[in-house]
Amino acid sequence: MVFLPDESRSLPPPPLVNKGSVWLGFTGWVAAMLDNGFSHRPVIRSGVHRQILFATMGWFVGYYLVKRMEYVHAKQDRELFEYVRQHPEDFKAAG
């Protein structure tokens, strides 16, 4: 998969309820409400199935963006620790 490489499978999954999921789920719901408003339909009562679909899609995208972010940070940490291990003279312990 292009979005998440196979080496990301060794990381623990992020929690199902996280900041990215909540925000993008809320954004999806608001997008459905705005679509109702721009189409001159009742904002909350019309297209409840679309509101649920957009919120679910936002939640899903948010979850995988957080997963991708955690993978990128773990990869950067691994590269940094490897550099520190290979160059101990640059990183002497404070004494």
Side-chain angles (χ1 to χ4, degrees):
M1 182 178 200
V2 176
F3 188 64
L4 282 171
D6 287 336
E7 63 185 13
S8 69
R9 293 179 190 216
S10 64
L11 295 174
L16 192 56
V17 178
N18 58 52
K19 190 186 293 187
S21 294
V22 171
W23 274 108
L24 285 177
F26 179 72
T27 303
W29 179 66
V30 168
M33 304 264 286
L34 286 173
D35 180 50
N36 286 341
F38 290 142
S39 300
H40 302 290
R41 293 186 295 246
V43 177
I44 294 178
R45 294 181 306 158
S46 179
V48 175
H49 62 285
R50 247 188 348 268
Q51 293 176 26
I52 293 170
L53 175 68
F54 282 23
T56 303
M57 286 178 11
W59 194 280
F60 180 78
V61 169
Y63 177 81
Y64 278 96
L65 285 176
V66 167
K67 195 171 182 176
R68 169 87 174 150
M69 181 185 65
E70 287 183 359
Y71 164 71
V72 168
H73 289 170
K75 183 178 172 187
Q76 288 174 347
D77 287 348
R78 184 182 67 218
E79 291 169 356
L80 177 66
F81 289 135
E82 183 63 23
Y83 180 81
V84 169
R85 189 183 65 75
Q86 290 176 357
H87 300 89
E89 66 278 357
D90 295 338
F91 303 96
K92 295 181 180 169

